[in-house]
Amino acid sequence: MELGECSVIGCGEPAVKVVGRRYLPALQALKLRVNPRVREFPLCKKHYKMAREALKELSR
Ligand SMILES: [Zn+2]
């Protein structure tokens, strides 16, 4: 399935995973710039891993 590009502005890597809005605080905590008005964020491998770990930290 074609997921397009990573939604982090300036990244441009192919997306491997699409995450929902609950990842938005994690992306913002990482200072990653995304369009906050979309409902879903395709992420590349690197940014997905970073976001997943940041979300885990935030939910502690
Ligand atoms: Zn990326």
Side-chain angles (χ1 to χ4, degrees):
M1 193 174 71
E2 187 55 66
L3 299 176
E5 277 187 10
C6 179
S7 55
V8 175
I9 294 164
C11 176
E13 292 290 313
V16 295
K17 195 95 179 165
V18 178
V19 301
R21 290 191 61 87
R22 70 188 188 98
Y23 273 76
L24 189 57
L27 296 169
Q28 288 170 336
L30 291 164
K31 308 256 191 290
L32 297 173
R33 293 200 306 134
V34 294
N35 178 353
R37 285 189 289 274
V38 297
R39 285 173 50 186
E40 291 183 316
F41 305 99
L43 294 175
C44 68
K45 195 174 180 183
K46 183 183 80 177
H47 284 132
Y48 174 62
K49 193 161 179 259
M50 285 169 68
R52 204 181 47 193
E53 279 164 17
L55 190 66
K56 215 190 301 171
E57 287 295 316
L58 288 175
S59 57
R60 250 183 211 158

